[in-house]
Amino acid sequence: MTTTLIILSLAAILFVSGRIRSDLVAVCAALALVVCGVLTPEEALAGFSNPIVIMMLGLFVVGGGIFSTGLAKRLGTGILGLAGKSETKLFVLLMLTTAGVGAFVSNTGTVALLLPIILAMAKSAGTSPTKLMMPLAFASSMGGILTLIGTPPNLIVDGYLRDNGREGFAFFDFLPIGIICCAVGFALLYPLCRFMLGKK
């Protein structure tokens, strides 16, 4: 137990510091757990057989393809065309688009898909990506609470209920509360982003 806590603590510190790439930190932490005998090689590699992990890797590849083919720039230009010069319209369109995608794709997958588009939008608009990255991160999380598959916790709770003989959730059972949460979140996030990121 002590060895595990030490390795996880060191990994957390390295994640927070950002001096080493997060993927390298994660791999080295897994290797350290294997070397110390906490995990077997089979247990350490078990996550790579998870279809969700494979899906996430695929989405990052798709995101890179979207950026490389120029599709991200065209989509970003389309959103910028609708928004015009209004930062409010751009914020609303960005949040709605991200939340809509996040309702059907996990948070990580949503960011992986939209990140190239957001970067292209920032470059075209001549604005700092920071002003768009923060809304992207929050909107992807808020969109995840709209549907059953939007975020892993929803699926975990649904699976627990079904495993214990109870009725699970329907696909859109989360939607009414999710819409309220998104509306409140959008309303609060807009002034906060303008206040905290306005000079960046």
Side-chain angles (χ1 to χ4, degrees):
M1 176 64 80
T2 303
T3 302
T4 303
L5 290 176
I6 292 174
I7 294 174
L8 293 180
S9 298
L10 290 174
I13 292 172
L14 291 173
F15 279 131
V16 173
S17 68
R19 294 182 179 180
I20 303 177
R21 286 170 39 188
S22 58
D23 55 340
L24 293 178
V25 174
V27 171
C28 290
L31 288 175
L33 291 171
V34 172
V35 171
C36 293
V38 178
L39 295 177
T40 65
E42 291 78 11
E43 290 173 336
L45 297 174
F48 293 101
S49 64
N50 191 313
I52 295 178
V53 175
I54 303 302
M55 182 184 70
M56 292 298 102
L57 292 174
L59 288 173
F60 278 106
V61 174
V62 171
I66 290 174
F67 187 79
S68 299
T69 59
L71 179 60
K73 184 176 182 179
R74 288 195 292 270
L75 291 175
T77 301
I79 294 177
L80 287 173
L82 292 174
K85 296 182 179 180
S86 173
E87 289 188 2
T88 302
K89 288 183 179 179
L90 178 60
F91 176 87
V92 172
L93 288 171
L94 171 62
M95 295 292 283
L96 290 176
T97 301
T98 305
V101 175
F104 301 97
V105 181
S106 69
N107 300 349
T108 306
T110 301
V111 173
L113 285 172
L114 295 180
L115 186 59
I117 299 174
I118 301 304
L119 290 175
M121 287 175 56
K123 184 176 181 180
S124 299
T127 186
S128 171
T130 306
K131 292 184 178 181
L132 302 181
M133 292 296 109
M134 188 71 74
L136 171 65
F138 279 101
S140 65
S141 297
M142 287 186 281
I145 62 177
L146 294 173
T147 64
L148 176 64
I149 64 172
T151 185
N154 291 357
L155 292 171
I156 292 173
V157 172
D158 178 71
Y160 181 83
L161 290 174
R162 295 180 186 276
D163 291 342
N164 287 274
R166 298 178 180 272
E167 183 180 357
F169 294 108
F171 191 83
F172 288 109
D173 276 354
F174 296 89
L175 188 61
I177 296 176
I179 290 177
I180 296 174
C181 291
C182 285
V184 174
F186 292 178
L188 292 175
L189 192 60
Y190 178 68
L192 287 175
C193 284
R194 286 180 61 87
F195 174 73
M196 298 179 68
L197 306 176
K199 296 182 179 181
K200 294 183 180 183

